């Protein structure tokens, strides 16, 4: 039985989620503040965390940040009453896997948990397979992308990317010279369609350009295709 940690200080929401998760066959643990959530996630092996942003003692963004710093890879979905794009994007940048704005449907929560679980299982399976293979490295004049070791180097120095930035870069380098729509990138990198959230792609592309391009304002690699999406122009010398 898979275990889910529900973190929210509103008892009505906790009760609703607990009932629907248990009905779907999940074991459910509860935390009513951020500090308790952080401590429980450190000491228990949860399969999923549903995390409110506005929490006493420690907010959800700080909980996410600290868990990822502690190398806790449990998938996290942020539940928030905040509709501002900034809060959503910051949560994803810190390592959350998804977000859902209140009010939400329990059915949608369960569907997203299943979707993220499938993607996580696929990633873990692919990681195991990759470890058994030789290194998969894409070399460009200005930087190197090592897909096996999840690392990027620019001019001999490590480049620090967030997990989603790395996934987006990997998606690009595997598909050079192809025009990719924002919707295609959302589906390919985030796992399913974030309706109306194409701005998220633009923000991640902007961050990538800042980290890998010689001149982010005049990018050499990630080219904008006006009115449609992006095209990766780099030709790599790939080593397997």
């Amino acid at each position: 039985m898979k275990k889910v940690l529900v973190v929210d200080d509103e008892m009505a929401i906790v009760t609703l989620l607990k009932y629907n998760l248990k009905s779907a066959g999940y074991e459910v643990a509860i935390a009513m503040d951020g500090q308790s959530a952080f401590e429980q996630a450190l000491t228990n092996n949860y399969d999923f965390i549903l995390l409110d942003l506005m929490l006493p003692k420690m907010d959800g963004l700080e909980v996410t940040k600290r868990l990822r710093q502690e190398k806790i890879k449990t998938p996290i979905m942020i539940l928030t009453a905040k509709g501002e794009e900034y809060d959503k994007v910051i949560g994803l940048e810190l390592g959350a896997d998804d977000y859902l704005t209140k009010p939400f449907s329990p059915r949608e929560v369960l569907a997203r948990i299943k979707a993220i679980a499938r993607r996580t299982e696929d990633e873990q399976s692919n990681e195991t397979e990759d470890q058994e293979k030789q290194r998969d490295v894409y070399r460009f004049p200005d930087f190197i992308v090592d897909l096996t070791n999840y690392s990027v180097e620019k001019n001999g120095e490590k480049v620090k990317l967030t997990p989603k930035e790395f996934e987006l870069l990997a998606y690009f380098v595997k598909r050079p010279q192809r025009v990719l729509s924002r919707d295609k990138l959302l589906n390919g990198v985030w796992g399913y369609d974030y309706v109306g959230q194409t701005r998220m792609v633009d923000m991640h592309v902007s961050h990538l350009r800042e980290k890998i391009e010689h001149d982010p304002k005049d990018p050499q690699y990630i080219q904008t295709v006006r009115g449609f999406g992006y095209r990766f122009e780099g030709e790599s010398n790939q080593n397997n």
Side-chain angles (χ1 to χ4, degrees):
M1 183 180 294
K2 292 191 174 182
K3 297 190 295 183
V4 178
L5 175 63
V6 175
V7 188
D8 203 300
D9 61 340
E10 295 183 48
M11 183 54 68
I13 291 177
V14 170
T15 301
L16 176 67
L17 290 172
K18 183 177 180 179
Y19 173 80
N20 283 274
L21 286 165
K22 284 195 169 185
S23 297
Y26 294 94
E27 181 181 339
V28 181
I30 303 298
M32 302 292 287
D33 63 75
Q35 184 64 41
S36 296
F38 176 66
E39 293 171 358
Q40 287 179 232
L42 283 181
T43 56
N44 294 275
N45 186 24
Y46 296 114
D47 295 288
F48 207 89
I49 299 173
L50 295 174
L51 180 65
D52 187 30
L53 276 189
M54 303 299 290
L55 293 167
K57 297 185 180 179
M58 185 190 302
D59 65 41
L61 292 178
E62 185 66 19
V63 173
T64 301
K65 177 182 176 181
R66 293 193 185 187
L67 288 177
R68 293 312 186 225
Q69 287 175 339
E70 294 290 336
K71 309 301 182 184
I72 302 297
K73 297 182 179 181
T74 306
I76 297 172
M77 182 161 66
I78 289 175
L79 304 177
T80 176
K82 292 186 174 181
E84 292 84 355
E85 184 177 271
Y86 174 82
D87 297 289
K88 300 171 183 176
V89 173
I90 290 296
L92 295 168
E93 288 285 343
L94 290 173
D97 296 84
D98 197 2
Y99 66 84
L100 196 57
T101 303
K102 299 175 183 177
F104 50 79
S105 161
R107 180 178 294 182
E108 184 175 5
V109 173
L110 292 170
R112 292 201 182 195
I113 287 176
K114 290 178 181 178
I116 294 172
R118 285 195 299 269
R119 188 171 76 240
T120 301
E121 289 169 0
D122 289 343
E123 289 172 354
Q124 290 173 345
S125 176
N126 291 337
E127 182 177 350
T128 300
E129 292 176 3
D130 287 343
Q131 289 173 349
E132 295 173 354
K133 297 177 182 178
Q134 293 181 327
R135 292 178 65 192
D136 191 6
V137 180
Y138 290 77
R139 299 180 183 275
F140 302 93
D142 299 316
F143 63 95
I144 300 171
V145 182
D146 187 337
L147 298 185
T148 303
N149 292 324
Y150 301 96
S151 66
V152 177
E153 290 186 9
K154 180 179 179 181
N155 300 324
E157 296 184 359
K158 293 283 186 180
V159 177
K160 187 176 181 181
L161 300 182
T162 67
K164 284 302 176 189
E165 287 171 356
F166 185 87
E167 289 180 43
L168 181 59
L169 180 58
Y171 197 87
F172 274 130
V173 301
K174 291 178 180 179
R175 298 164 179 81
Q177 311 303 322
R178 288 173 55 181
V179 178
L180 302 170
S181 70
R182 291 172 174 83
D183 287 334
K184 179 72 173 178
L185 291 166
L186 279 171
N187 284 321
V189 176
W190 279 264
Y192 54 90
D193 191 11
Y194 277 67
V195 177
Q197 296 299 323
T198 54
R199 175 59 180 160
M200 191 184 307
V201 173
D202 296 334
M203 294 184 70
H204 279 74
V205 166
S206 177
H207 294 162
L208 265 181
R209 284 172 170 166
E210 291 288 339
K211 294 176 180 181
I212 68 171
E213 297 279 5
H214 176 69
D215 182 359
K217 295 182 180 179
D218 184 21
Q220 174 184 351
Y221 296 103
I222 305 177
Q223 298 285 323
T224 299
V225 181
R226 191 171 298 277
F228 192 76
Y230 298 95
R231 179 176 59 244
F232 189 80
E233 293 287 357
E235 290 287 350
S236 71
N237 177 17
Q238 184 182 5
N239 293 340
N240 287 312

